[in-house]
Amino acid sequence: MPDTNDFWPANIADSNLVTPVTILKEQAALLGEKTRQLVKGEVVTQTTGDLLFHYFYIAAPTLNYRFELFNVSHGVNFYPLVMRYLNNSHALGSEAEFKAKLKEIFAAQHTLNVVHSILAQVRS
């Protein structure tokens, strides 16, 4: 006999949502692959109240050094989220907008300069 005090739907655990932090961690891993692990991406998450903050670092493990490239904050529903990059805030309303902004940031001259500078330090 089913429990009549269970008011949750049977499909409550069914979800195919992709979190922003999952996307960031995938990109962090790809940076390591592209630089033969000399420079890596690192994602650190903190919570404050009902917000999650994800910090994306460009890191050189052999130098014990990391550079914050940008950070992202969002509530429980992910979008809209706020991205802070180069002292500017960007409100992004969807996963597609988030991915487009990441592509722009990762291809930006500023990011290339940071990665190249860190690579030069690691190789010296």
Side-chain angles (χ1 to χ4, degrees):
M1 181 168 164
D3 184 355
T4 58
N5 290 320
D6 182 353
F7 303 117
W8 294 99
N11 64 347
I12 191 70
D14 297 346
S15 175
N16 60 355
L17 297 175
V18 178
T19 66
V21 73
T22 298
I23 296 166
L24 293 175
K25 287 180 178 180
E26 288 172 350
Q27 295 305 308
L30 287 168
L31 177 61
E33 289 176 18
K34 289 179 179 289
T35 64
R36 294 187 306 227
Q37 306 303 325
L38 294 174
V39 176
K40 297 180 179 185
E42 289 183 6
V43 180
V44 175
T45 300
Q46 296 178 339
T47 59
T48 303
D50 61 348
L51 289 178
L52 289 101
F53 289 86
H54 309 294
Y55 299 86
F56 191 97
Y57 295 97
I58 306 290
T62 59
L63 299 176
N64 197 28
Y65 175 80
R66 66 183 184 182
F67 175 88
E68 182 183 325
L69 186 61
F70 61 84
N71 66 69
V72 173
S73 62
H74 62 81
V76 68
N77 290 322
F78 313 147
Y79 302 99
L81 59 73
V82 176
M83 177 181 277
R84 288 164 204 80
Y85 170 68
L86 293 178
N87 298 318
N88 294 310
S89 292
H90 307 275
L92 305 170
S94 68
E95 183 178 320
E97 287 181 31
F98 180 49
K99 287 179 174 180
K101 182 55 83 173
L102 287 174
K103 187 174 182 177
E104 177 186 319
I105 289 172
F106 293 146
Q109 190 61 51
H110 170 73
T111 303
L112 295 175
N113 289 345
V114 169
V115 171
H116 292 164
S117 296
I118 294 173
L119 272 171
Q121 289 292 323
V122 168
R123 291 176 176 153
S124 63

